[in-house]
Amino acid sequence: MPQTYDFETVLARREAGGIKWNLYEADVLPMWVADMDFRSPDCVTEAIVERVQSHSVFGYHFEHAPLREVLTERMHTRYGWQVEAGQLVFLPSLVVGLNLMCQLYGGGAGADVATFAPIYPPFLGAPKNYGQTPSQAPMRVERVGSRLEVSIDWDAFEACITPKTRLLMLCHPHNPLGYQYSRADLERILALAERHDLTVVSDEIHCDLILGDQPHIPFASIAPEAAARTVTLMAPSKTFNVPGLGLGFAIIQDPERLKALTAAMWSGMVAHTGVVGLVGAEAAYRHGQPWLSAALAQIRRNRDAAVAFFADTLPEVACTVPSATFLMWLDFRQTALADDPYKLLIERGRVALNNGKDFGLGGEGFARLNFACPPATLQDGLGRIARAVRGG
Ligand SMILES: Cc1ncc(COP(=O)(O)O)c(C=O)c1O
């Protein structure tokens, strides 16, 4: 009998601790940071409990051959992508990974780092940590009725690459726009990366959260020329709702870049991974697929419910229809909240979204909604947004 999963019960997350439910006052509903209000898969809990109980030793533990094995298999079966075990580097977090990318491949202080915008804020913060300037190519976000349609502005993208650019940071699928780059997009990006001799960092943390028919295509997998200049960042964090385990990984097929990252991991500036993350990640990738399929079904239903809500009940707020991620980009520019949606949603609606302004160019007047939650929480949140916009 297929196992059933409960994505409807509202969990006591405030009591469980964690940033999402404890940053704001108790009457504010949190729909911001990208973790899900669902129980993580039981296979993860069971593997961690088993490891903890059977060996009560917590020594240094930053290698885990079975995880390398399951990941190389996964790249092959999902994407036809041949990755060798030694081309994986485990990381404690992908935000740390983004910072390492700027440090190692960014071109040093004074360089420009190219990226599309609006964009997950650490893409803007990481270059700045190394004296670099994020050079942002605004995506085209067009309002059609109550929907936002997203496409690439290639002129803006070419223009954001300057003579001082050494690194291009891609978020694929894209956070916050829920956009998946197509093979044609990726090929065009590769052509530009080759022409300007750029390292490409492709943050693919959302690659398993596909809501439509278009499968994920890792940037590095499209051609040997792409693999030769790309660092791919992935993690089980979003896929299986385990960001608290602190485990991500890089795939690097160019020996020089691999050598540089491996050396940086021993510099003393980066925490090593731990046994709980490694064992939990292995279990998630090995046994978590039924949970993920069921979670995705709920996430799709939530997306459709939210899109219908904005179309039918609150059309002055336009929304993306994300084909990936559990994040929705909302346009408040035609509402009374236009000046500062993030702040006014909290003040008037008691609901916390992410502040569009933090996502760089194109973020003014927008907010990001996380809809990976039980349906009752989603309805509560949408109702709060409507009250904030319309009053009453
Ligand atoms: C594109 C992207 N990269 C990285 C992260 C965070 O990764 P980590 O928790 O491993 O630092 C997120 C989280 O939302 C994300 O959306």
Side-chain angles (χ1 to χ4, degrees), residues 7-11 21 29 31 37-38 298 302 305 371-384:
F7 297 112
E8 303 210 339
T9 301
V10 177
L11 305 176
W21 282 80
L29 185 69
M31 305 190 84
D37 290 329
F38 301 145
Q298 183 63 56
N302 285 0
F371 56 88
C373 57
T377 306
L378 180 64
Q379 288 310 320
D380 183 7
L382 295 173
R384 288 170 188 244

Side-chain angles (χ1 to χ4, degrees), residues 242-256:
V242 291
L245 295 186
L247 192 282
F249 58 96
I251 301 175
I252 314 187
Q253 301 190 288
D254 167 52
E256 285 308 309

Side-chain angles (χ1 to χ4, degrees), residues 251-270:
I251 301 175
I252 314 187
Q253 301 190 288
D254 167 52
E256 285 308 309
R257 290 183 180 88
L258 177 60
K259 210 163 112 188
L261 181 59
T262 308
M265 297 307 292
W266 291 97
S267 67
M269 293 291 286
V270 188

Side-chain angles (χ1 to χ4, degrees), residues 9 12 20 23 28 57 74 81 88 93 124 131 137 151 161 205 224 243 253 266 277 296 309 335 349 354 359 371:
T9 301
K20 184 178 189 182
L23 187 69
V28 173
V57 176
R74 188 176 181 88
W81 182 19
L88 292 165
S93 123
L124 305 173
S151 58
I161 301 171
I205 197 169
Q253 301 190 288
W266 291 97
L296 282 174
F309 178 85
T335 73
N354 284 86
F359 292 74
F371 56 88

